[in-house]
Amino acid sequence: AMASGGCDASVAEGGAAGAEPKTDEASRPMSSSSSESSREESEEGAGEGEGEQDSDGEAREAWIPAHGGLRVIVIGAGVAGLAAARNIRRAGIEVVVLEARDRIGGRIWTDHLGDGTAVDLGAAWLHGCSPQNPLMHLARSMEAKLVETDFDKAETWEALGTADGPPVPSRRIMTDEDWEEAERMFKASKTLCYKEQAQRKRVWPSMPDESLWDGLLKLQSKRFPGFASLDERMRNQVRRLWLEDSEYQYAAPLNDMSFTWWND
């Protein structure tokens, strides 16, 4: 995660949009606005003047025209859909949000392990803690606990075990030397990938494409001996660095991305 605006922050357990958010306008998307909603809008006086604010400090939308009994359907209960529904309700318009999943939040999804540990399976950071970031205001309005991320103090723990078996709990910490070696192998493989990628683009489409992962498995040079030559632990670490560089950015598995065009 790259910092923007000075710092990054993660939402502590229970604060992510997919993890049982507090009940407010943005977290009641599965039914149309009720008489309670009408009373809220009447009290707030939505649309009575530009620059006025709601109780949570957000400016009301004064540009929405008279609606005359409109009913709006919003497709998707992700952040964009919920925000749209919230603003529509503030304008006094009846709104229904349709969501195909059995949860809200879209790409923001906090799941819980058997011991109750919260794990973010989707978005995990608020990039930038400045007032200009609308997600910061949303988090504060929901009273979500924010924890500043300090990568210089981060520790990485390993779970031991075989690739085809369950993880074995361990308190083994990745040392600086481990990280340096993994980073060196990753950078060497990435340089080799870019060279091979440029060659394939020059002869495209005469050379058939393949998945990014299949292409990476074929790379080999003096500086990068190839994934098959690495021990299982180092191979997993280098692959994890590739996940950070590609899957986390493009929201697709290495096996589904094009080796030739994945970063275009």
Side-chain angles (χ1 to χ4, degrees), residues 22-102:
K22 294 185 63 176
T23 302
D24 67 357
E25 293 172 88
S27 60
R28 292 196 297 263
M30 297 307 175
S31 63
S32 60
S33 59
S34 61
S35 57
E36 177 186 356
S37 170
S38 299
R39 287 195 301 271
E40 291 173 357
E41 299 304 334
S42 176
E43 293 169 358
E44 292 175 355
E48 291 179 355
E50 185 176 358
E52 296 182 30
Q53 293 186 332
D54 292 324
S55 58
D56 62 3
E58 288 190 358
R60 287 198 292 268
E61 304 294 351
W63 50 267
I64 300 178
H67 46 81
L70 289 177
R71 189 183 192 195
V72 177
I73 297 176
V74 175
I75 307 299
V79 171
L82 295 179
R86 190 176 190 180
N87 286 336
I88 292 169
R89 285 188 58 182
R90 283 177 171 161
I93 303 174
E94 186 178 11
V95 60
V96 175
V97 176
L98 303 181
E99 172 55 59
R101 294 188 177 101
D102 59 356

Side-chain angles (χ1 to χ4, degrees), residues 252-263:
L254 293 171
N255 290 321
D256 289 348
M257 286 186 280
S258 160
F259 181 89
T260 307
W261 308 104
W262 69 274
N263 54 345

